[in-house]
Amino acid sequence: PSRVAPDEAWALGAFVGDGNLSAGRLACTVPAIRDKLSRLFRVTARDGYVDAHGARAWLRSHGFHGERAWEKYVPAHLLNDGRAAQAAFLAGLLDADGTVRRPAARGQIGVRWVSVSRRLLADCQHMLAGLGISAVIRLKSEATTTWHEAWELSVGGREPCARLFALLGSQIVHPEKRERLGATASLSPGDWQAKLRYRREVDPVIAVEPIGEMEAVALTIDHGTHVTAGLVTHNTDGRMIPASQ
């Protein structure tokens, strides 16, 4: 069970996505986002922003102390929380600062989050893996003399998008993003192939370091693929038989 309530986890995702963590202010022009935030705070909307009264103390209670965009991350207690809280956090992050590409478009489509904090996206990738969804991080733009490098976390493919919608759909309040993700999730395999040019991508292996011989535990489940410590892996018994002979 989740320790952080879904509405609270959603608000954390929204503030991490496009909020000022020192001021308790969220960039927002979408009425549905403002309305959901008002379940937790008294809000004042002006000039494309929403001031959430009491949010600064609330953010501090979750471990945030005015981190800037390149310093943002997912709080440790959420990384170890239940599926409902993690899904709500990701939905808030998508509502505030994510992109869902139109299913009618040709080319690479799906869901993406862009941030100058690679740590934040790596944390989200870890949560997505735990929810059974594969996501890829790639460098979007190099650092300049005036700003930091930007990174992109993306989920693509019919089945991952369908699973993402099943987990996040009820928490997403941005009407256009929810509609786009639902339309993408409902595409048939034939429609996906006809309309989209999707290429499956995975994170590259950077290095392999020998650690010597030691005792190991082989975990085997019925359908073969599972997530262990945030890593998508596969049953190892078939690989271990030759080594044991």
Side-chain angles (χ1 to χ4, degrees), residues 109-228:
I109 76 156
V111 178
R112 66 174 182 171
W113 293 268
V114 176
S115 176
V116 291
S117 170
R118 194 186 189 287
R119 177 185 174 184
L120 169 62
L121 298 187
D123 288 345
C124 292
Q125 184 185 40
H126 181 90
M127 285 199 300
L128 286 165
L131 295 170
I133 299 170
S134 177
V136 177
I137 297 176
R138 63 173 63 84
L139 181 65
K140 182 173 175 61
S141 61
E142 299 283 352
T144 68
T145 55
T146 58
W147 197 239
H148 300 261
E149 58 192 6
W151 299 87
E152 176 184 290
L153 174 68
S154 60
V155 175
R158 185 178 64 89
E159 291 184 7
C161 285
R163 185 166 182 80
L164 191 67
F165 182 69
L167 290 167
L168 273 59
S170 64
Q171 292 286 344
I172 298 171
V173 298
H174 192 298
E176 193 170 278
K177 293 177 183 179
R178 185 176 62 242
E179 187 276 329
R180 288 182 183 181
L181 184 56
T184 300
S186 65
L187 287 174
S188 68
D191 288 338
W192 188 273
Q193 293 298 325
K195 294 181 179 181
L196 312 175
R197 298 174 183 173
Y198 172 69
R199 293 182 297 125
R200 185 174 294 277
E201 296 185 69
V202 296
D203 285 341
V205 175
I206 299 174
V208 177
E209 299 180 3
I211 59 173
E213 296 185 4
M214 62 185 66
E215 291 186 357
V217 175
L219 178 64
T220 302
I221 60 175
D222 290 340
H223 59 76
T225 302
H226 51 90
V227 177
T228 303

Side-chain angles (χ1 to χ4, degrees), residues 7-40:
D7 279 355
E8 196 170 354
W10 176 91
L12 281 171
F15 272 107
V16 169
D18 207 13
N20 183 319
L21 300 184
S22 62
R25 176 179 296 168
L26 180 69
C28 175
T29 58
V30 180
I33 294 177
R34 181 196 63 220
D35 292 345
K36 186 162 185 174
L37 199 62
S38 68
R39 298 178 189 176
L40 293 174

